[in-house]
Amino acid sequence: MTALSITYVVLFYVAMIILFGGLINKIMLYARVPAPLKIPVTPAPLTKAGVVYRIFYEVVFFNSLFRGSKWTWIFGWMFHLSLLLAFFRHLRYVISPDSFIWPLVNNMVVQSFGHYAGFTMVIGLAGLLARRILVDRVRYISSPSDYLMLLLIMGIGVTGLGIAYVSHTDVVQLKAFIMGLFLFDWQNLPSDNVLLVHLTLVLLLAVIFPISKLLHAPGLFFAPTRNQVDNPREQRHISPWGAELEAKDGRNA
Amino acid sequence: MADYEVPETHEFPIIPSIMEGAMAHSSPFVAGKEFQDDMGFPSPEEPGKLIDGWKEKFLEIMQDKLNKYRSLQVFMDGCVKCGACTDKCHYFIGTSDPKNMPVARQDLLRKVYRRYFTFAGKYFPKLVGAVDLTEDVIKEMYSYYHQCSECRRCAVFCPFGIDTAEVTMAARDILAMIGMGQKYSNQIIPKVHKIGNNLGLPEPALLDTLEGLEEEIEDDTGVKVRFPLDEKGADILLVTPSADFFAEPHVDGLMGYGKVFHAAGVSWTLSSKASEAANFGLFIGNYEHMREISLRIRDAAKELGVKRIVFGECGHAWRVAYNHLNTLAGPWDFLDQNYPIPQHILEFTKDCLDRGILNIDKSENDHMTLTFHDSCNIARASRIGEDPGSQFTTPRQVIQAVCNNYYDMAPETTHDQTFCCGGGGGLLTDDLMELRIKGALPRMEALKNAVSDKGVTHMAAICAICKSQFTKVLPYYGMTMDQIVSVHQLVSNAIVLDGQGEEAEESDDAEETA
Ligand code: HEM
Ligand code: SF4
Ligand code: SF4
């Protein structure tokens, strides 16, 4: 194996450990910290099923954002949907052709949608970046990291397109490398520059994910303003520390 | 009327360009030692300073809050700076100060969170906009966390439901614990604890006021409507904001509740101990104080042996009652489970209207053309009625059941998109008058447009703070303070009591007492 390949094998493992370790850690934190009070933003659903629907609508359509800012919604939704489609397309690198889900991934629809998603993703990101620069309010709230995050993902998109259109790589060897990571049977990585930049940026994104605003993805599911059922009169809501307080003075007895 | 620069209203809402520092001078009085003591909060050796070791204390309490409130933890991490909330706050629209954009307000705390609680902020502060905790940062927080009325309008539009009000509450509580409590709230809360209401009205004064109301109604209608106080064995305990006892137009609303109870033939009572629906513990973000204030109601209900609890017209009070009374002062197993606990007075009145047991003469309100102001805490933080959104329909149905002329204001300013009156969340104090006038802009603009387009003459509200705030700011926008009315004032006008004799003229000489 080449030194380059060994380096990337190590980097991949480190990045994945940070990504999943960090994410699991954060998600467990969010789950552990109690919500002591009922604070759904109303009108809110009266049932658990209603809450599932509410969150589903937010995740899939960015409903509140749609009401809040049409331009951000257009670009943001375009970017995220493209990201999802691109993600599906990439599954063919990690799924074995013998697997029963292979046909679900390796078909015309997934592959061509995923292909064009590269363009719409970059367009969406460019729109978000333009808004960040041009709208005085959004510029005011932006830190360097906010611009860099957009540039980073744009970089991933552009290099991805570069691989697809300009500087093709040996996809068979690439797949062997990635499958090797799963099977602990390490293989060489093709050494095209564009591919290496693409992979490096992806690893960087993975490392940044659990320590950045990308935590919005899990955070969305944990916001008490959105995930609580509107039933405070019917069902008593009490947190462990609230109950302790009660037990101490007995005034709720 | 003191001189303030009043923002211009427009036919269509305008999002201002940012003007840095436009409201940096706005800051309410800091609570002195006496009030901090009463609240059990520390105060500095020297007034105007912070307590010894304030920085460590700040971070320690912040960590504690992050461990206790999922909202705070998730909201600190989750904001992507998308900007959807930036133009949604009435204080930003009215002042142009970018720190009044909800996300920028959150950022005052988030910058500190990042610096001390996150990897990125510890090692790359400049990159992620993290800052050290300094006295200047504290001053800025004190200023801008008191330019938020905790109205949650921003939370409606945030893709992640980030509620700036939650951040404001947390920040205010932390500030109070390092000696920077707000005078207005910290002066009021001990009065509730000690006397029973925000105004410090003792029982004899209350009795006196209630007798006055009985006389007034009797003079008006010839019918004796009772306003009982501390009557053991009554079915219903009415808990209402203390402004209802004397301020205009609040008191007209209280007379309305009394008439409805009378006409419905139920037995009810007020309590001198729980002679306040307001719960400023919410505003200052303090669970213990909020609980203490709520427990008064439990104690009063037990002592009086009532079966039901009904709340009068007040926004944040209803938020606390509806969402938190069960949590803080429950369980309510000793009350009659056939009724909502607690019940809103509008739910009670609506039910009476639906059952046709009220005799209504709508024409009594014909001299007015009404519109309705959705109070933020009712619209976005609670419910009145049985279905999601019935907090919007119930008051409108009641108004339309007692008035012939009604129009809504522009839809982007009503229901869950309603604009705060500008004085909520613990800001209803004279030392924040400039902020209150400017923050009222979007609501005043929508009202003015309804006045010119639809011929609206009066705006009805169901919140004591909204009513007080509007009586103060309406004149600044070229309207008059009696253009704000209570919803139950309208009910009171229209209701015809059994045995009601000759109609007496309704008095128009509303006096400002708020
Ligand atoms: C559950 C999945 C996710 C949901 C529901 C979600 C939702 C959103 C929403 C509503 C926004 C604000 C609008 C916008 O600026 O686009 C946003 C922003 C953003 N999201 Fe996501 N997201 C998810 C996953 C991801 C993932 C996996 C990534 C990254 C790889 C990501 C990257 C970003 C970035 C960089 C922004 C900020 C865009 C800007 O700077 O304007 N998101 N997300
Ligand atoms: S809660 Fe209301 S006052 Fe506070 S920042 Fe949000 S919109 Fe502004
Ligand atoms: S709308 Fe929500 S995520 Fe977007 S900037 Fe405001 S607080 Fe942050």
Side-chain angles (χ1 to χ4, degrees), chain A:
Chain A
M1 262 178 74
T2 61
L4 181 86
S5 301
I6 295 172
T7 312
Y8 271 84
V9 166
V10 174
L11 286 178
F12 253 98
Y13 284 129
V14 170
M16 289 307 132
I17 288 168
I18 294 179
L19 172 65
F20 288 104
L23 261 184
I24 289 168
N25 185 36
K26 272 288 178 186
I27 288 173
M28 276 172 31
L29 175 71
Y30 296 161
R32 192 171 62 236
V33 177
L37 295 165
K38 277 279 191 175
I39 56 167
V41 172
T42 56
L46 307 186
T47 59
K48 276 226 170 74
V51 165
V52 170
Y53 180 74
R54 182 183 200 177
I55 304 263
F56 172 84
Y57 221 75
E58 288 294 343
V59 172
V60 177
F61 299 109
F62 298 6
N63 186 38
S64 299
L65 180 65
F66 182 77
R67 294 179 73 193
S69 168
K70 298 285 185 281
W71 283 111
T72 315
W73 182 85
I74 289 172
F75 292 125
W77 199 67
M78 189 195 267
F79 153 54
H80 283 84
L81 183 65
S82 311
L83 188 68
L84 187 70
L85 294 175
F87 171 79
F88 282 137
R89 178 174 151 98
H90 282 74
L91 285 178
R92 67 175 173 163
Y93 294 111
V94 296
I95 291 171
S96 140
D98 309 327
S99 161
F100 70 98
I101 43 175
W102 179 249
L104 289 180
V105 174
N106 194 36
N107 59 53
M108 257 293 287
V109 179
V110 169
Q111 291 306 315
S112 55
F113 267 97
H115 192 76
Y116 295 111
F119 291 102
T120 46
M121 180 164 109
V122 174
I123 296 169
L125 286 164
L128 291 171
L129 188 62
R131 185 175 148 81
R132 206 170 273 297
I133 294 168
L134 297 176
V135 179
D136 64 347
R137 301 188 308 280
V138 189
R139 193 166 61 233
Y140 181 86
I141 56 168
S142 300
S143 305
S145 57
D146 297 312
Y147 297 102
L148 290 175
M149 186 73 77
L150 287 172
L151 292 174
L152 171 64
I153 303 172
M154 258 169 127
I156 294 173
V158 170
T159 48
L161 290 171
I163 296 165
Y165 286 97
V166 187
S167 148
H168 300 282
T169 193
D170 180 351
V171 285
V172 176
Q173 185 57 39
L174 176 62
K175 176 151 187 177
F177 171 80
I178 292 175
M179 296 304 287
L181 289 171
F182 282 97
L183 304 169
F184 298 99
D185 171 21
W186 303 304
Q187 305 292 321
N188 271 325
L189 177 66
S191 62
D192 307 271
N193 286 334
V194 187
L195 173 70
L196 292 182
V197 175
H198 187 67
L199 290 181
T200 309
L201 294 179
V202 170
L203 293 180
L204 191 59
L205 184 71
V207 170
I208 290 172
F209 206 104
I211 55 165
S212 70
K213 67 176 186 178
L214 296 182
L215 288 169
H216 67 287
L220 176 61
F221 299 89
F222 285 95
T225 44
R226 291 272 162 73
N227 75 7
Q228 286 184 337
V229 179
D230 178 16
N231 61 354
R233 292 193 284 194
E234 291 77 18
Q235 203 169 325
R236 181 149 195 254
H237 176 91
I238 185 91
S239 67
W241 63 267
E244 248 170 62
L245 216 61
E246 269 174 28
K248 241 187 267 166
D249 63 15
R251 292 191 56 197
N252 295 61

Side-chain angles (χ1 to χ4, degrees), chain B residues 85 88-92 100-103 105 147-155 163-165 168 380 420:
Chain B
C85 62
K88 303 300 186 288
C89 177
H90 51 290
Y91 291 119
F92 172 68
N100 276 329
M101 300 188 298
V103 44
R105 198 187 311 289
Q147 301 192 40
C148 170
S149 57
E150 303 173 348
C151 79
R152 316 184 101 190
R153 190 167 193 271
C154 44
D163 178 7
T164 314
T168 294
R380 293 185 281 261
C420 169

Side-chain angles (χ1 to χ4, degrees), chain B residues 20-21 25 76 206 216 237 250 294 340 352 408 417 456 479 486 491:
Chain B
E20 284 191 45
H25 59 279
M76 282 293 111
L206 272 178
E216 192 175 333
L237 169 63
H250 312 57
S294 302
C352 292
D408 264 329
Q417 300 192 58
V456 163
M479 292 175 270
S486 299
V491 176

